[in-house]
Amino acid sequence: MSKDKQKHQQRQQKIKENVDAKVEQAQIERGLLLVITGNGKGKSTGGFGNVTRAVGHGFKAVVAQFIKGGWDCGERELLSQHGVEFATMATGFTWETQNRDLDRQAAEEVWQRCKQWLTDPSIYLVLLDELTYMLSYDYLDVDEVVEAIAQRPREQTVVVTGRACHRKLLEIADTISEVKSQRHAFENGIKARKGIDW
Ligand code: ATP
Ligand code: MG
């Protein structure tokens, strides 16, 4: 065997040992709190990726969309055909908010449904899409949200998406991913695309 090949093999062996040791150390089995945050594209698509994964294994998943609904959202079209329940803000919050009272009320309605989900052990995965904005705009009480998530059934996983996630939510998260934007087509005048951006 060449020296290079031998070196490569030794390196791979070392990596394998490290990974095996970590796999052996991971003994805790419970649901997670995942936060997908940052300014780049991929947070909601990532969250929905987790929903399809769970549904594909036959688990029950639900989705809350903390943005104004009503437009044709590809994920909703598909996943509602597979028994995924959605709670979407019927009125209120868009990106350019105009009526705080209406927004707050709409957020609260969706949140009431979420609170029920967060006590239901038959639900394997709860996606709280764009929840972070409800906390930064102070539409929902952060302590109440943190408590409901922290008290959820042991086997239930929660995925939170949105920019600038509140510190208190990050503190109880198991996995935090920050999607960094290196470039976005929008900055070069390219329109948002059906099936790609929604
Ligand atoms: P996606 O839903 O595509 O995964 P996202 O959830 O990471 O995006 P949001 O901020 O929720 O990001 O995006 C709302 C809309 O803005 C989407 O249509 C998305 O494609 C677009 N978008 C995401 N990141 C950027 C960016 N850096 N600049 C401009 N538009 C963006
Ligand atoms: Mg999003």
Side-chain angles (χ1 to χ4, degrees):
M1 193 188 301
S2 76
K3 255 218 158 88
D4 259 8
K5 212 170 166 186
Q6 213 173 354
K7 244 191 174 156
H8 175 78
Q9 231 174 37
Q10 279 168 356
R11 220 169 17 226
Q12 293 309 109
Q13 179 60 25
K14 193 100 202 137
I15 292 171
K16 188 182 176 333
E17 280 166 18
N18 282 336
V19 172
D20 286 350
K22 282 201 179 121
V23 168
E24 207 162 309
Q25 263 172 35
Q27 294 290 346
I28 305 164
E29 276 208 54
R30 62 166 173 82
L32 307 165
L33 171 60
L34 315 180
V35 174
I36 312 175
T37 189
N39 294 330
K41 172 176 166 63
K43 300 177 292 294
S44 295
T45 39
F48 277 109
N50 266 132
V51 174
T52 49
R53 190 174 273 180
V55 170
H57 285 292
F59 294 121
K60 190 170 168 191
V62 294
V63 178
Q65 292 178 299
F66 285 98
I67 37 166
K68 187 176 173 176
W71 80 94
D72 54 340
C73 157
E75 297 93 327
R76 199 170 59 223
E77 297 300 321
L78 177 79
L79 293 165
S80 38
Q81 292 169 30
H82 291 268
V84 176
E85 189 191 330
F86 278 71
T88 298
M89 275 167 71
T91 54
F93 190 80
T94 57
W95 303 106
E96 68 288 337
T97 179
Q98 278 152 13
N99 187 333
R100 275 184 72 84
D101 288 340
L102 209 65
D103 284 359
R104 195 187 293 258
Q105 197 190 325
E108 193 55 42
E109 276 168 27
V110 174
W111 173 241
Q112 288 308 315
R113 189 78 194 106
C114 296
K115 279 209 293 197
Q116 294 167 345
W117 289 338
L118 292 166
T119 60
D120 182 348
S122 76
I123 299 173
Y124 190 78
L125 179 75
V126 180
L127 170 60
L128 303 174
D129 192 34
E130 322 294 356
L131 172 71
T132 61
Y133 305 102
M134 301 303 107
L135 305 177
S136 14
Y137 280 69
D138 212 18
Y139 288 169
L140 297 176
D141 179 62
V142 65
D143 293 320
E144 188 184 327
V145 169
V146 166
E147 188 181 321
I149 292 175
Q151 299 293 319
R152 73 191 185 281
R154 188 181 161 80
E155 297 297 322
Q156 190 178 82
T157 287
V158 172
V159 182
V160 171
T161 79
R163 297 174 192 206
C165 187
H166 196 289
R167 171 184 55 83
K168 288 187 179 177
L169 209 48
L170 292 177
E171 276 167 8
I172 62 161
D174 297 291
T175 297
I176 304 168
S177 294
E178 189 175 350
V179 184
K180 184 172 175 287
S181 183
Q182 285 205 10
R183 181 181 300 155
H184 196 286
F186 186 65
E187 294 156 17
N188 290 317
I190 300 168
K191 262 181 132 170
R193 273 181 88 74
K194 189 172 186 173
I196 307 298
D197 291 300
W198 78 88

